[in-house]
Amino acid sequence: GLAQLVRRYGALPFSRCVEPALRLSRGFAVSPWLASQIRDEVERHPDSGAKLIAAIFSVDERTATGLHAGDRVARPALTATLRRLRDEGADAFYQGPIAEALVRTVAAAGGVLSAADLRDYHTVDREPLRTTFLGHRIFTMSPPSAGGVILVEALGALAAHVNEWNHTTGPMQPEYLHAVAEALKHGFADRARFLGDPAFSHVPLEHLMDPAYHATLRIDPDHVLAHEAYGSGPSGAPHQARDAGTAHISVIDQKGNAVALTTTINLEFGARLVAAGVVLNDEMDDFAPAPHTPDVFALSSGDGNRPAPGKRPVSSMSPTIVLGTHGALAAVGAAGGPRIVSATLQVLLDLLVFGLSPGQALALPRIHHQWEPDVLDYEEGLPQDVSRSLERKGHRLRRHPGIGKVNLILRSANGLDAASDPHTGGRPAGL
Ligand code: DON
């Protein structure tokens, strides 16, 4: 996918684009965020966690368990793979020694990936979803991701309520946060019923994107609705979510071109398998093998999201670009499983409704609701009068350590303004 983008739209050759990753693979300091992920992995899997970390960084297991923030690590096996990709091009990933290592590793773990799967892999181009909100043109990800569908549906449901919010107090007001939660519940309810890979089954986008349909999505300012009154469908069971396998970057260049790019290996160490230095994803978890079998993020889905050969799973990825009058106004997106959508939605509203800067938007606590389970997650810092008021409206509140990790960039009268999510310790670059 990356090679394809570079070939079509890039100003630099692919080999040059591989260089920064190649340099990084030769040595870097463990960040506090990575150190905490390593610690969790070792604690969660006493039998195999240290072995996995040792394999990723080519160290012994003792060193692996002792890794702290600030320690230097390298990924020599990945260096070899990246060098080959730089010299031979991206096709070297899908055939030859790298592909053989991937297939061997998956087979040894009891998986079903074949050499033909890799050889026949191809990227798929899909038209982004488009909507308008308060006069802004918004482009976001289409199925098989559910992210864009939920985002557009939520924006559509919220449009009728924008004037009910106090625009000077900012987003920390119960009327606004209640409306956001209710709008998300409508979107997530439809996700559970309708979403799947459109190459395999029909996703009724005309219906889900229709402003006339959005106008029927009820938000009662005083109280939550009955469970079945959201969107149009059933499913699920509660589950504690872990997230950390996703990365989102937002870019705007001097010409006003924008990139919103989300990539995911699902969980922090994917399938917990390493081949040719590459940590393999566990994207199979994003499929629903049977009805009422929630994934690690407690998401259940309908028949459209059953696994099948060659099929792509439903995702929450929500890379989004807002167009201004002269090129891109903003590029936004997040990591965080289903919380990707809630985080992206709230940050967009922070910019477009409340006129906040990227830094101000990312400093605010966020909320999340995915319809099932019937819980409203909130981050530390939500004012107590706001959380009490949300409870009075019928929400069941649960504190959550981090609702999405957003990286965004906005073009303002003063130039480019970018912010990285405080949860992961990243920084905007290149400004
Ligand atoms: O595509 C999806 O919806 C999931 N694979 C995303 C998982 C995720 O964001 C975890 N990380 N932060």
Side-chain angles (χ1 to χ4, degrees), residues 222-224 376 378 384-398:
D222 298 320
H223 213 273
V224 300
L376 180 74
Y378 70 97
Q384 232 180 42
D385 57 322
V386 173
S387 55
R388 291 225 180 88
S389 173
L390 289 169
E391 269 166 351
R392 279 198 298 277
K393 290 178 193 296
H395 294 287
R396 288 168 46 207
L397 267 64
R398 174 176 70 181

Side-chain angles (χ1 to χ4, degrees), residues 243-246 264 266 283 286 297 315-317 335-337 340:
D243 56 39
T246 305
T264 180
N266 204 40
E283 274 305 303
D286 281 349
F297 303 103
S315 165
S316 297
M317 293 187 284
I340 289 173

Side-chain angles (χ1 to χ4, degrees), residues 73-366:
V73 285
R75 299 186 52 191
L78 184 62
T79 304
T81 289
L82 290 172
R83 205 182 295 125
R84 197 180 273 273
L85 295 179
R86 179 195 62 188
D87 297 343
E88 297 174 21
D91 287 349
F93 194 79
Y94 299 98
Q95 285 190 65
I98 299 174
E100 283 156 23
L102 300 182
V103 170
R104 226 179 13 250
T105 304
V106 173
V112 294
L113 184 74
S114 70
D117 289 331
L118 284 171
R119 196 190 53 230
D120 298 341
Y121 178 79
H122 59 277
T123 61
V124 176
D125 289 19
R126 292 200 171 93
E127 283 291 310
L129 301 179
R130 296 153 190 242
T131 192
T132 47
F133 181 71
L134 304 181
H136 296 285
R137 284 178 296 160
I138 297 181
F139 295 78
T140 187
M141 190 164 173
S142 54
S145 183
V149 174
I150 301 171
L151 194 75
V152 172
E153 215 176 287
L155 287 171
L158 289 169
H161 298 272
V162 171
N163 292 332
E164 295 163 16
W165 312 325
N166 183 334
H167 291 204
T168 49
T169 47
M172 290 300 105
Q173 49 177 307
E175 298 73 21
Y176 162 74
L177 291 172
H178 169 69
V180 167
E182 295 295 282
L184 286 167
K185 283 156 87 174
H186 283 302
F188 273 98
D190 279 342
R191 175 205 185 281
R193 176 143 189 216
F194 294 117
L195 262 288
D197 184 343
F200 285 74
S201 57
H202 177 66
V203 181
L205 280 183
E206 323 73 47
H207 166 63
L208 296 172
M209 296 294 97
D210 185 356
Y213 169 56
H214 302 161
T216 68
L217 295 170
R218 208 156 69 77
I219 297 179
D220 177 338
D222 298 320
H223 213 273
V224 300
L225 309 178
H227 187 68
E228 321 72 52
Y230 294 96
S232 3
S235 71
H239 204 282
Q240 188 53 41
R242 271 166 49 207
D243 56 39
T246 305
H248 177 84
I249 57 167
S250 298
V251 185
I252 297 182
D253 74 5
Q254 73 272 30
K255 295 187 182 131
N257 297 306
V259 178
L261 177 81
T262 314
T263 59
T264 180
I265 59 166
N266 204 40
L267 295 184
E268 47 276 76
F269 295 106
R272 307 183 60 252
L273 289 176
V274 192
V278 178
V279 179
L280 303 187
N281 73 65
D282 65 337
E283 274 305 303
M284 291 301 286
D285 175 67
D286 281 349
F287 283 116
H292 306 291
T293 47
D295 65 11
V296 290
F297 303 103
L299 292 167
S300 296
S301 26
D303 290 340
N305 197 29
R306 303 280 171 262
K311 193 169 175 180
R312 289 163 158 85
V314 172
S315 165
S316 297
M317 293 187 284
S318 314
T320 300
I321 291 172
V322 184
L323 278 197
T325 35
H326 305 289
L329 175 70
V332 186
R339 293 171 183 77
I340 289 173
V341 195
S342 317
T344 305
L345 173 68
Q346 283 162 87
V347 168
L348 278 175
L349 294 167
D350 290 342
L351 303 180
L352 303 180
V353 173
F354 295 102
L356 301 187
S357 70
Q360 287 169 326
L362 294 199
L364 288 174
R366 293 189 280 263

